[in-house]
Amino acid sequence: SAGKRARHSHDKQATKSMKKELASILRKEAMHPVLLVDMSKRQRKKILKSCMVLKEKFDLQGNFVKLKSKLVVDGKQQEHPTRMAALFISLVVAAHEGRKASLHDVGTAYLDTEMTGDLVHVALDKVMTGLLLKIKPEYKNFVTHNGEIIMKLDKALYGCVQSERLWNDKLVSVLERDGF
């Protein structure tokens, strides 16, 4: 995959980028560790996997500039996978009505969105756990028998099925408050 290729091609930068992403998540108080023994059997069954997605960034001349990392939850494990159909339908309607549409990226948008509803727990693999412990050594007591740390999500993360809806609700609220 592109992420594995990026990690092997730029090992030191990959580690630095992944640590930066984890530090950003912690700074935004997006998740905190939990002990397996404090979780119900039902909660333990619903722990989601996560992965760090790495993307190489290039300048206009095609020269490598940096790696960007993003911790992503495997939302496919959740019951109601998100669909791109709503986006495509909106674009088709906008085109049919002659409206202009644009796409905007709001950096770390989901990390500014509180999780609501069902509790979501995510397992950080051994590599992410190792990096996390370099940032927060006090989390060592949360490491499971297989070398992972289980984190409860307090803010939305990419990949969770509810993250898109929660971010949209927040965006709509802010836009309406500002008179849109």
Side-chain angles (χ1 to χ4, degrees):
S1 76
K4 284 183 181 178
R5 193 170 55 249
R7 181 156 187 221
H8 292 297
S9 299
H10 312 285
D11 195 39
K12 287 182 182 179
Q13 287 181 349
T15 299
K16 183 178 177 182
S17 177
M18 291 186 292
K19 281 177 70 176
K20 183 178 177 184
E21 169 71 356
L22 286 171
S24 175
I25 289 169
L26 293 173
R27 195 171 37 261
K28 296 269 190 173
E29 298 178 349
M31 61 184 180
H32 67 272
V34 295
L35 294 169
L36 275 174
V37 296
D38 294 339
M39 297 175 66
S40 70
K41 186 176 180 179
R42 182 175 177 266
Q43 288 172 330
R44 286 191 300 269
K45 283 185 176 183
K46 295 176 85 175
I47 295 172
L48 302 175
K49 295 193 182 309
S50 64
C51 65
M52 191 66 77
V53 176
L54 297 167
K55 184 169 181 163
E56 295 174 305
K57 298 288 186 170
F58 298 91
D59 63 17
L60 295 175
Q61 290 76 34
N63 300 312
F64 173 77
V65 177
K66 65 180 177 178
L67 282 178
K68 291 283 288 179
S69 297
K70 184 183 293 185
L71 183 66
V72 177
V73 176
D74 188 1
K76 292 183 289 188
Q77 300 171 49
Q78 290 176 292
E79 293 175 13
H80 304 287
T82 58
R83 297 205 166 92
M84 293 296 291
L87 172 63
F88 290 123
I89 290 169
S90 298
L91 293 173
V92 167
V93 170
H96 178 74
E97 294 178 353
R99 297 175 184 253
K100 293 182 180 180
S102 63
L103 178 66
H104 299 273
D105 183 26
V106 179
T108 66
Y110 285 5
L111 295 181
D112 290 322
T113 306
E114 301 290 329
M115 286 294 282
T116 60
D118 288 342
L119 297 179
V120 177
H121 294 91
V122 176
L124 299 182
D125 66 22
K126 290 178 184 180
V127 173
M128 292 303 105
T129 295
L131 292 174
L132 182 63
L133 291 175
K134 288 181 180 178
I135 300 167
K136 292 280 200 179
E138 64 270 25
Y139 286 2
K140 69 180 178 194
N141 295 331
F142 292 94
V143 178
T144 65
H145 66 281
N146 60 355
E148 298 179 336
I149 288 184
I150 307 304
M151 304 293 280
K152 179 196 168 284
L153 296 185
D154 300 310
K155 307 258 177 106
L157 279 185
Y158 294 94
C160 288
V161 296
Q162 59 271 57
S163 295
E164 292 176 38
R165 179 186 48 78
L166 292 169
W167 165 242
N168 183 69
D169 291 350
K170 181 176 181 168
L171 176 63
V172 167
S173 172
V174 168
L175 291 173
E176 286 176 346
R177 184 193 72 211
D178 291 346
F180 289 92

